[in-house]
């Protein structure tokens, strides 16, 4: 039976029919050994039962547990003959089910359960566990059975259903699978490593621990410790694989980081060349053509910056600094004959530090001492 | 057992509320959270649609046997 999602009424109708089929099959046809296709024997004086009989509950008998090996369920339909008393009991069960479905849901106040939200200080504090109050449904059904209410025939359905545990250990274990694979001290393991380890472990577990391999230390004759030893060997292999994988991933990351740094460095240089500010040291190469050869202009030039004021950034290549070699020569006395021997050292010492601006400054490496 | 469908509905309502609150957020982690909740809801709805009257008879019967809810959650 499929539900049409566009039809909201069909939800409740089909769920209701599903519940009635469940009750009819599980409690009329199986538990009571009453075949529901024999419901024609129900007296037609009861209109509710007539409506019940009109629905055939044998079509989906195997839809629930056709693979069940229970002898009780494997009984053919004609094993237990339908007696009028059994038919009446089945009809009463279905009638109770229909009445139950057509009645509105119960309110907790109507049958005296303790509601802690009412601040009832005279109640037993042990029963007031928390503000999240869940009504006791099994107790409600027990009261229906004890008071022989109209739902008393239906009261044996609830304990059977509520005794089913809707969860299992396998589902619970899947939530703690990550902590089993990666411990608290393995914080640098990547999510990809975790995924691979889980996939390999889940694959190796039903395949007789094939990841452990055939190590000589494993004693195949000892079947008790074999699985534990294989599990340990598998864990060691997984750990080694994870370490290699993490190392390769870290190495690849470092290579990517290095390439990114190189690219950003080249981009930084390019940005400096077109006029952006940069933290890099700007090295200016001065040109010898900036200096003039006449003396007076040279001294005026010394008061200014060697760079022209409107020097564009394109003229700032990243070359090395070239210093100005200014040779110093001794002044020669014009009248060496009339000069005194004692005064000769003084004339030299006074002008010893004067630079010769008339020299060939464009070629500072050329020597004039020849 | 009878709380399974109720828990499904509560989780759907909670995720819808979170998605509605995070729909217009532009912070990166809020966008990531919105995407994660969206995927979780998609996964949960995939499981919930498998609970049909054919496959989820016990879940539905257990929910109906709960006298405090009955068919109210299906409406």
């Amino acid at each position: 039976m499929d539900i049409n999602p566009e039809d909201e009424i069909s939800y409740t109708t089909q769920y209701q029919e599903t519940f009635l089929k469940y009750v009819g099959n599980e409690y009329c046809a199986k538990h009571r050994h009453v075949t529901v296709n024999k419901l024609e024997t129900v007296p037609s004086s009861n209109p509710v039962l007539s409506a019940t009989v009109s629905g055939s509950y044998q079509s989906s008998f195997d839809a629930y547990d056709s693979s069940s090996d229970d002898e009780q369920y494997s009984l053919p339909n004609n094993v237990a003959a339908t007696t009028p008393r059994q038919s009446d009991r089945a009809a009463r069960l279905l009638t109770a089910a229909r009445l139950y479905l057509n009645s509105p849901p119960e309110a907790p106040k109507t049958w005296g359960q303790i509601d802690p939200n009412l601040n009832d200080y005279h109640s037993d504090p042990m029963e007031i566990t928390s503000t999240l109050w869940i009504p006791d449904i099994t107790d409600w059904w027990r009261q229906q059975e004890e008071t022989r209410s109209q739902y008393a025939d239906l009261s044996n359905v609830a304990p059977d259903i509520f005794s089913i545990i809707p969860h299992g250990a396998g589902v619970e274990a899947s939530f703690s699978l990550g902590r089993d694979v990666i411990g608290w001290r393995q914080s640098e393991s990547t999510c990809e490593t975790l995924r691979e380890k889980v996939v390999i472990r889940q694959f190796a577990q039903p395949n007789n621990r094939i990841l452990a391999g055939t190590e000589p230390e494993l004693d195949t004759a000892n079947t008790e410790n074999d699985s534990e030893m294989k599990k340990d060997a598998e864990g060691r292999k997984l750990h080694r694989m994870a370490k290699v994988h993490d190392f390769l991933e870290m190495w690849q990351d470092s290579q990517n980081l290095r390439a990114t740094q190189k690219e950003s460095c080249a981009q930084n240089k390019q940005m400096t060349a077109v006029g952006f500010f940069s933290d890099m040291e700007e090295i200016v190469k001065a040109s010898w053509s900036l200096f003039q050869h006449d003396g007076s202009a040279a001294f005026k030039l010394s008061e200014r910056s060697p760079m022209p004021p409107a020097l564009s950034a394109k003229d700032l290549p990243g070359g090395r600094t070239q210093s100005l070699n200014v040779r110093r020569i001794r002044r020669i006395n014009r009248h060496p004959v009339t000069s005194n021997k004692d005064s000769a050292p003084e004339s030299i010492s006074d002008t010893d530090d004067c630079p010769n601006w008339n020299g060939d400054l464009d070629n500072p490496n050329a020597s004039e001492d020849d | 057992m009878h709380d399974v469908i109720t828990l499904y509905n509560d989780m759907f309502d909670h995720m819808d509320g979170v998605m509605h609150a995070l729909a217009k957020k532009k912070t990166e982690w809020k966008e990531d959270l919105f995407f994660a909740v969206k995927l979780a809801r998609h996964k949960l709805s995939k499981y919930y649609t498998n609970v049909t009257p054919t496959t989820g008879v016990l879940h539905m019967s257990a929910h109906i046997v709960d006298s405090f809810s009955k068919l109210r959650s299906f409406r």
Side-chain angles (χ1 to χ4, degrees):
Chain A
M1 180 187 298
D2 294 330
I3 293 177
N4 184 13
E6 297 178 355
D7 189 5
E8 295 182 357
I9 302 175
S10 66
Y11 280 96
T12 55
T13 305
Q14 296 186 39
Y15 292 157
Q16 193 170 345
E17 292 297 323
T18 302
F19 177 69
L20 290 174
K21 279 186 178 181
Y22 173 77
V23 173
N25 287 323
E26 296 293 324
Y27 294 92
C28 297
K30 294 180 180 180
H31 289 195
R32 311 300 181 200
H33 297 285
V34 175
T35 51
V36 291
N37 55 350
K38 300 290 185 181
L39 289 177
E40 292 84 4
T41 57
V42 175
S44 60
S45 59
N46 192 343
V48 177
L49 296 181
S50 299
T52 305
V53 169
S54 62
S56 177
Y57 296 106
Q58 65 177 353
S59 59
S60 60
F61 177 79
D62 293 334
Y64 306 113
D65 53 355
S66 59
S67 61
S68 176
D69 295 328
D70 195 352
E71 294 179 356
Q72 188 179 13
Y73 288 177
S74 62
L75 287 173
N77 292 336
N78 55 357
V79 166
T82 304
T83 62
R85 185 174 182 181
Q86 289 171 338
S87 299
D88 184 57
R89 193 171 183 180
R92 280 192 287 113
L93 184 63
L94 291 174
T95 304
R98 286 191 177 274
L99 287 174
Y100 174 78
L101 290 173
N102 292 327
S103 63
E106 294 289 331
K109 295 177 183 178
T110 57
W111 59 288
Q113 264 197 337
I114 297 172
D115 188 356
N117 297 324
L118 298 177
N119 293 326
D120 187 4
Y121 298 107
H122 301 288
S123 303
D124 187 4
M126 296 300 293
E127 297 180 2
I128 306 172
T129 54
S130 64
T131 55
L132 183 63
W133 179 62
I134 300 173
D136 192 356
I137 302 165
T138 55
D139 194 23
W140 186 87
W141 281 106
R142 183 182 55 80
Q143 289 185 14
Q144 299 299 316
E145 188 177 8
E146 289 177 356
T147 57
R148 301 301 302 169
S149 67
Q150 55 184 351
Y151 308 133
D153 295 329
L154 203 61
S155 60
N156 57 348
V157 178
D160 291 343
I161 292 179
F162 293 151
S163 61
I164 300 171
I165 301 174
H167 51 80
V171 179
E172 293 291 331
S174 63
F175 286 103
S176 53
L177 184 65
R179 186 55 62 201
D180 292 340
V181 175
I182 291 186
W184 290 103
R185 296 185 178 180
Q186 291 178 267
S187 58
E188 292 187 357
S189 296
T190 60
C191 57
E192 188 68 20
T193 305
L194 173 62
R195 190 182 68 84
E196 291 177 356
K197 289 177 77 171
V198 169
V199 169
I200 292 173
R201 181 168 293 188
Q202 292 295 320
F203 173 74
Q205 191 169 2
N207 290 286
N208 198 21
R209 305 281 184 190
I210 58 172
L211 192 62
T214 55
E215 295 186 4
E217 60 198 37
L218 295 177
D219 185 12
T220 56
N222 191 0
T223 56
E224 292 182 356
N225 297 327
D226 186 40
S227 62
E228 291 295 328
M229 293 174 68
K230 278 190 173 182
K231 191 176 180 181
D232 294 340
E234 179 184 298
R236 288 197 297 271
K237 276 196 173 183
L238 279 174
H239 190 63
R240 282 201 296 269
M241 289 168 59
K243 287 173 73 175
V244 171
H245 185 274
D246 287 345
F247 174 75
L248 290 175
E249 193 161 308
M250 288 171 61
W251 182 78
Q252 185 63 36
D253 290 342
S254 65
Q255 292 294 322
N256 294 336
L257 180 62
R258 197 171 176 182
T260 306
Q261 286 178 346
K262 280 186 178 180
E263 186 179 354
S264 64
C265 183
Q267 188 178 4
N268 197 7
K269 282 183 179 178
Q270 187 178 1
M271 289 172 65
T272 305
V274 297
F276 287 98
F277 289 103
S278 173
D279 293 332
M280 296 181 61
E281 183 182 4
E282 295 181 2
I283 302 173
V284 180
K285 180 180 180 181
S287 175
W288 292 102
S289 60
L290 301 176
F291 296 93
Q292 297 181 8
H293 298 286
D294 52 340
S296 58
F299 283 107
K300 290 180 180 176
L301 188 65
S302 63
E303 299 174 359
R304 298 179 300 176
S305 171
M307 287 178 56
L311 186 62
S312 65
K314 293 181 180 178
D315 297 333
L316 302 175
R320 59 187 176 87
T321 305
Q322 187 172 5
S323 62
L324 301 176
N325 294 329
V326 180
R327 295 185 300 108
R328 303 177 189 279
I329 58 173
R330 291 185 178 183
R331 175 176 291 180
I332 301 172
N333 291 328
R334 294 178 181 177
H335 304 287
V337 180
T338 57
S339 64
N340 195 359
K341 291 181 179 179
D342 298 331
S343 61
E346 295 177 357
S347 62
I348 294 173
S349 61
D350 291 340
T351 59
D352 197 15
D353 294 333
C354 295
N356 183 15
W357 295 104
N358 294 328
D360 188 7
L361 298 178
D362 289 335
N363 189 9
N365 297 326
S367 175
E368 291 184 1
D369 291 339
D370 296 338
Chain B
M1 189 74 177
H2 58 281
D3 287 330
V4 173
I5 294 178
T6 307
L7 287 174
Y8 264 112
N9 291 334
D10 291 344
M11 283 193 288
F12 277 128
D13 293 342
H14 181 70
M15 284 189 285
D16 287 340
V18 171
M19 288 174 64
H20 180 71
L22 295 175
K24 296 180 181 179
K25 302 295 182 183
K26 298 298 180 185
T27 314
E28 185 178 0
W29 69 268
K30 290 180 181 177
E31 289 182 349
D32 294 342
L33 186 62
F34 175 79
F35 186 66
V37 173
K38 188 177 180 181
L39 289 180
R41 195 189 188 285
H42 179 70
K43 177 67 77 175
L44 204 64
S45 62
K46 179 184 173 184
Y47 294 147
Y48 187 70
T49 51
N50 289 329
V51 183
T52 61
T54 306
T55 60
V57 176
L58 286 177
H59 286 100
M60 292 178 181
S61 300
H63 190 76
I64 291 172
V65 167
D66 182 4
S67 58
F68 298 94
S69 61
K70 291 187 180 179
L71 293 168
R72 186 167 51 190
S73 300
F74 301 130
R75 292 192 175 98

